[in-house]
Structure formats: structure tokens, C-alpha cells
Amino acid sequence: MPPRVSRRARTDLRFTGRIAGVGTSRGPRFVVGMWETSPLGRFVDVMVEDGAGHRILLAPSPDVADFVSATYTFDEVRFLPVSWRKVDGGLRVVAGGPTEPVLDLRLGIGGISGLGMLLRAVPSAFATAPGWLRLIDPIARVLVPGSATAGTAGGDRREYYGVTLARRIVSLEGTWEGADLGVLARLDPPVTFGFGSAPASPSLVDVTTTIR
């Protein structure tokens, strides 16, 4: 079941952390949420869309699985351990058991992107405010095709993405369901879990997501 929160807390649920969005040369595309603070506590979840358009959620707990699957659209939900850690030059995401994980993803993280430079010019109080994000949404959709900063989520919810920093993802290696993922590719076509996708250029973004 979703977390029990007060009537006021139900109005604005804020998730603060990072999102990594990548494509692969073998077809699967991944959006990884690494949430430091949220109404569900600290957690990691992974959204996967394969080359045929099959959408899978990897969630570490029933609460996360219930809440995320009620907000986004999936064809399949899997409940299993999901974690991330820093490694030399980037980060590693593992879902499943330590010996035979369903997903083992290693991402090389580069410098701040051109988009990230623009975002740094916006004070964080504005960059994460739903009113500002609703205002700039048409501009964001033009500047970063496939992405959006405001839209309708599942369960009669509105959702706002406030990105404050963007870094380039420069390399990828790993496996998905035992198969090699190949090399890094654009997140193209866009993923279809919600009203918007992550940027087509592989990116790691600092973000505050507000669900209203």
C-alpha cells in the first residue's frame, strides 16, 4: 500500500535525488531513480523499456512498487533488491541477487553538460517550484525533445520535474537478464512510462520531483 500521510502531505509529495537515463546498443533503455529523500524513505528504482516496448519496473519494496506503478505505466512490476554505489569514474546499479543479478549496470559519468550549465543559472527555489515548472514546460519540450517539466501522472496526480544540474553519461557496460547490453546509446525512442521521457542524450540529473 502507498505510505500513509496527512491530508496536507498528500497535496505535495517531494522526491529529491538523481535520475540516470540511458539507451544501449542492444535495445533496452533504462531510467534509474536514486532517491535520497522521499515520503517512502531512501530507495532506488529502475524503469526498463526493451526494444519491443515492454515496460518493466524494478522496485525494492511493496510500498515503492505500489506507489510508482500507480503513478507511471508498466506492463510488468518486479519486486527485488535494487541498489547503487559509486565506483571509479561513475556509478554501478545492481538489481537482484549478488551472484546472478537481473541488472548489473555500470555508468561512466562525465562533466556538466550544456543543459547543466543553463540550469545552474536558475536559483534552486525557482528550479523546483511547481508554478515555475508549469510555466517553462512548453520551452523545455522544445529545448530537450521528449522531455517535460510538468504533466499528468497516474491516479489523478500532477507531476513536476525540477532539474537543478545535469551531467553527461559517457560510457556504459553491463548485463540485463544475463545478456550483455553492448555500449552506450541515445535514449531513443523516448521511454513511455509517463508524460515525458528523460533526455535523449544520456544524462545524470539532480532533480526534485513533486507529485501533487
Side-chain angles (χ1 to χ4, degrees):
M1 295 293 293
R4 294 181 179 180
V5 292
S6 68
R7 182 175 299 274
R8 182 176 179 180
R10 287 193 195 103
T11 300
D12 275 341
L13 300 176
R14 291 170 68 89
F15 295 72
T16 300
R18 292 178 172 179
I19 294 176
V22 294
T24 68
S25 61
R26 296 293 173 85
R29 288 155 286 151
F30 300 91
V31 177
V32 182
M34 295 161 279
W35 304 106
E36 293 296 323
T37 60
S38 83
L40 299 166
R42 186 177 181 179
F43 70 93
V44 183
D45 68 316
V46 182
M47 303 179 188
V48 188
E49 186 165 346
D50 66 20
H54 187 71
R55 297 162 297 184
I56 304 167
L57 170 65
L58 309 180
S61 72
D63 279 354
V64 171
D66 288 346
F67 186 86
V68 177
S69 62
T71 307
Y72 302 92
T73 302
F74 302 96
D75 303 298
E76 181 183 350
V77 177
R78 301 185 192 179
F79 169 39
L80 74 176
V82 189
S83 63
W84 80 276
R85 63 182 176 87
K86 292 181 179 180
V87 295
D88 187 26
L91 60 89
R92 182 182 182 186
V93 180
V94 176
T99 56
E100 295 184 2
V102 173
L103 173 67
D104 188 349
L105 187 63
R106 291 173 293 281
L107 303 176
I109 309 301
I112 297 173
S113 65
L115 174 62
M117 293 294 186
L118 290 175
L119 291 168
R120 293 180 75 179
V122 182
S124 59
F126 282 103
T128 60
W132 167 259
L133 295 168
R134 186 169 54 248
L135 179 67
I136 67 168
D137 181 62
I139 301 171
R141 291 173 187 259
V142 172
L143 290 177
V144 187
S147 68
T149 58
T152 302
D156 295 323
R157 297 163 175 161
R158 296 285 299 177
E159 190 167 13
Y160 305 90
Y161 289 111
V163 177
T164 56
L165 186 63
R167 298 175 176 85
R168 294 178 293 110
I169 294 176
V170 297
S171 65
L172 173 149
E173 59 178 304
T175 58
W176 164 245
E177 297 184 322
D180 187 86
L181 286 168
V183 297
L184 182 67
R186 288 172 61 81
L187 193 70
D188 187 30
V191 291
T192 57
F193 311 114
F195 62 85
S197 176
S201 297
S203 302
L204 175 69
V205 301
D206 293 6
V207 63
T208 295
T209 298
T210 302
I211 298 176
R212 175 169 291 178

